[in-house]
Amino acid sequence: MSSLSSVEKRKALLKKLLVSIQKRESEIWNALQKDFGKPTFEGFLTETNYVISDIKYTISHLKSWSKPKRVWPSILNLPSSEFIYKEPYGRVLIISPWNYPFQLAISPLVAAIAAGNSVVVKPSELTFHTSQIITKIVEDVFDVKEAVVVHGGAEFTQTLLSQRWDYIFFTGSVAVGKIVAEAAAKNLTPVTLELGGKNPCIIGEGADLKIAAKRIVWGKFVNAGQTCIAPDYILIQAKEKYNFVELLKQEIILAYGENPQESKDLASIVNARHWKRLTELIDPTKVIFGGQTDEFQNYISPTIIDEPELESQLMKDEIFGPLLPIISYHDENDLHKIIRRYEKPLALYVFSNDKRWAERMITTFSFGGGCINDCMIQFVNKRLPFGGVGHSGIGAYHGKLGFDTFSHHKAIVKKPTWGDNPIRYAPYKNKLKWVKKIMNWL
Ligand code: NAD
């Protein structure tokens, strides 16, 4: 495999990729539907449309992103002109998860190709149909020297990780992220780790509860809660909890009807293993809404769980499913105690009309990214970085940052051969005094 040196060639490949995806858009939606009942609307909004706009945006900015960037020269180097060159890393491995199986394989591929790398994509083994389409598209567009798709599970991925790569981009769980980081460290390979976490959703005093309920129900139950930046649990003042739960129930019924199992707009759980994991998290004595399950359809209804024990299994790890715990707090100390029990999350959401309080919340806690008075939509803007901090990830991408992630930034100073200042050269004699004077003056 070789790097793609010409920007024109990269643009041509991205255009071809765009056409291939546009041609297969409905095939992709069908595959997502077969894999885990993903509604076509969500397939459009969160997978194909996202990727299509990502490719168009990348094509239109690629020329300017890839140009050497001239910076102000250091006065110490004068006369000189100074630049940052963007160089492809070389051979890149992209490992992706099943929950947004198309977008999370193709979007990093777009950034890696834009930056001129050759790419091996390893999509999730759990979303077979989508992985097959990804293969067809990549085979259609790229020469094997440019990009290929390979398939396999944990063992196969570990074999891939044991090879030497110039960059590894991983999206998935924290546990596997650690395996990836360890394997990469053996060859000092740079990594991006896009991981998960337990994302708090704080409802402040005087928040617009109706709009909060509407937006949280959308954010939590889109993709049946199998979203890395979905609200994981709600924190609300005890006195507002009852009202808020009633609003949440109304919004769930509005979105998915009295029997969500009949709704065409609710995805299913990806497989029997995850269905079992999630159903085991449900304590029926704490369920105040939903709680219905169906093993044969990997179905779990949107479920609200009241005041789970913080030590319970439900509150130990990222939930990653349609279970929504609601926990009351009395003061900010409670918020600190609860949120800081966990590693830094990928997202945090605050609902409040008190701008100063909301600002304090988003600056007090450390997390990947988030919103005030909404959830999940930080993902949409290509001018915002997408990534975690601490256990929720290392590095970020989207838009230009995606291009930069897959590029080595090379510092270059261009000097003419005239105007050589002799002060730096030995013998130093009494030059120190002069250098100190100049440094103080600068
Ligand atoms: P996962 O970690 O189980 O799998 C991700 C990839 O790693 C898959 O391709 C899989 O084949 C491979 N893999 C699995 N086990 C492995 C092992 N033992 N050794 C080597 N490779 C292995 O994650 P998942 O279940 O597919 O996805 C869900 C997780 O991904 C959640 O934790 C979610 O928060 C996270 N996620 C993060 C983002 C993000 O952008 N930050 C986006 C989506 C999902």
Side-chain angles (χ1 to χ4, degrees):
M1 296 180 96
S2 59
S3 302
L4 300 160
S5 51
S6 140
V7 172
E8 283 317 307
K9 168 84 181 166
R10 300 178 206 171
K11 270 173 91 167
L13 284 172
L14 291 177
K15 281 181 188 158
K16 225 172 137 188
L17 180 63
L18 178 65
V19 171
S20 179
I21 292 172
Q22 283 171 324
K23 207 171 68 189
R24 292 199 160 90
E25 213 175 349
S26 55
E27 251 182 272
I28 299 164
W29 301 332
N30 288 341
L32 291 161
Q33 176 71 41
K34 279 189 200 154
D35 281 330
F36 61 110
K38 183 156 181 152
T40 299
F41 181 82
E42 291 181 13
F44 168 78
L45 199 68
T46 67
E47 307 258 10
T48 54
N49 181 60
Y50 180 86
V51 166
I52 286 169
S53 93
D54 192 22
I55 301 175
K56 287 182 179 166
Y57 185 81
T58 304
I59 291 171
S60 65
H61 291 84
L62 188 51
K63 199 167 164 205
S64 78
W65 293 346
S66 49
K67 261 194 204 145
K69 184 171 178 267
R70 192 165 186 162
V71 297
W72 281 100
S74 164
I75 207 154
L76 298 173
N77 292 341
L78 288 174
S80 70
S81 48
E82 308 190 3
F83 299 86
I84 302 168
Y85 276 64
K86 312 286 172 64
E87 175 185 271
Y89 277 105
R91 292 168 68 247
V92 167
L93 173 64
I94 293 171
I95 303 170
S96 54
W98 56 264
N99 65 324
Y100 288 83
F102 187 73
Q103 186 220 118
L104 295 174
I106 301 292
S107 189
L109 170 74
V110 169
I113 290 290
N117 300 282
S118 57
V119 185
V120 172
V121 183
K122 209 300 287 172
S124 174
E125 69 281 19
L126 303 190
T127 37
F128 171 81
H129 298 95
T130 311
S131 294
Q132 291 305 110
I133 301 248
I134 291 171
T135 310
K136 268 201 222 167
I137 290 171
V138 169
E139 281 177 356
D140 207 28
V141 173
F142 297 98
D143 186 274
V144 286
K145 289 200 200 101
E146 294 154 354
V148 287
V149 181
V150 293
H151 298 277
E155 216 174 298
F156 174 71
T157 311
Q158 286 178 17
T159 310
L160 281 177
L161 287 168
S162 68
Q163 314 290 306
R164 187 156 180 174
W165 302 93
D166 298 307
Y167 201 93
I168 300 175
F169 187 99
F170 171 79
T171 309
S173 61
V174 174
V176 180
K178 290 180 184 175
I179 296 173
V180 173
E182 204 179 324
K186 292 205 172 101
N187 289 312
L188 293 179
T189 304
V191 288
T192 294
L193 301 177
E194 293 280 341
L195 310 177
K198 219 160 166 59
N199 307 322
C201 191
I202 312 168
I203 317 291
E205 198 162 340
D208 183 331
L209 294 186
K210 183 145 179 57
I211 201 80
K214 191 165 208 61
R215 291 176 183 175
I216 293 169
V217 163
W218 172 76
K220 179 70 185 183
F221 300 113
V222 77
N223 222 38
Q226 303 165 113
T227 305
C228 54
I229 50 171
D232 189 282
Y233 60 99
I234 293 176
L235 295 165
I236 188 160
Q237 292 224 324
K239 60 184 180 202
E240 299 200 293
K241 191 174 83 177
Y242 178 80
N243 269 350
F244 192 59
V245 167
E246 290 310 303
L247 290 167
L248 285 173
K249 290 178 187 174
Q250 280 172 26
E251 290 301 334
I252 294 172
I253 294 168
L254 256 177
Y256 304 107
E258 292 286 349
N259 180 5
Q261 193 166 10
E262 285 170 1
S263 169
K264 299 252 176 297
D265 297 330
L266 183 69
S268 35
I269 306 307
V270 70
N271 63 17
R273 178 167 65 84
H274 280 280
W275 180 87
K276 187 163 180 295
R277 174 185 69 78
L278 285 162
T279 50
E280 284 172 3
L281 297 180
I282 304 173
D283 171 355
T285 64
K286 304 264 182 196
V287 171
I288 50 173
F289 185 79
Q292 296 82 17
T293 63
D294 180 345
E295 188 176 359
F296 300 104
Q297 294 189 0
N298 289 335
Y299 167 74
I300 299 178
S301 67
T303 297
I304 306 176
I305 299 178
D306 189 30
E307 305 289 350
E309 305 296 335
L310 294 180
E311 292 72 31
S312 63
Q313 202 54 40
L314 179 77
M315 291 307 292
K316 267 209 177 106
D317 277 323
E318 174 189 33
I319 295 171
F320 220 61
L323 314 178
L324 182 56
I326 183 156
I327 298 167
S328 49
Y329 68 90
H330 296 282
D331 53 30
E332 266 181 59
N333 272 343
D334 288 349
L335 289 179
H336 284 252
K337 271 191 224 147
I338 297 169
I339 293 171
R340 296 225 156 99
R341 286 174 69 91
Y342 305 104
E343 297 290 350
K344 294 173 181 177
L346 185 58
L348 182 143
Y349 305 112
V350 183
F351 285 82
S352 172
N353 284 329
D354 179 342
K355 285 188 181 158
R356 280 169 61 184
W357 185 82
E359 194 66 27
R360 192 160 75 241
M361 290 298 106
I362 58 161
T363 47
T364 298
F365 298 107
S366 180
F367 53 95
C371 310
I372 295 174
N373 289 326
D374 213 325
C375 48
M376 309 248 286
I377 57 171
Q378 71 273 27
F379 189 85
V380 174
N381 187 347
K382 294 176 183 63
R383 289 170 291 278
L384 289 176
F386 186 77
V389 55
H391 278 222
S392 56
I394 296 174
Y397 71 129
H398 281 191
K400 179 174 184 295
L401 195 53
F403 175 87
D404 286 343
T405 288
F406 286 103
S407 307
H408 165 59
H409 293 209
K410 210 182 212 175
I412 298 291
V413 175
K414 296 185 181 174
K415 285 282 278 183
T417 47
W418 52 267
D420 202 21
N421 187 339
I423 200 153
R424 65 174 145 147
Y425 301 115
Y428 302 127
K429 291 185 184 163
N430 61 351
K431 286 178 181 173
L432 185 59
K433 175 174 87 188
W434 289 106
V435 170
K436 278 185 170 173
K437 267 194 184 157
I438 294 169
M439 291 302 181
N440 277 341
W441 176 68
L442 290 178

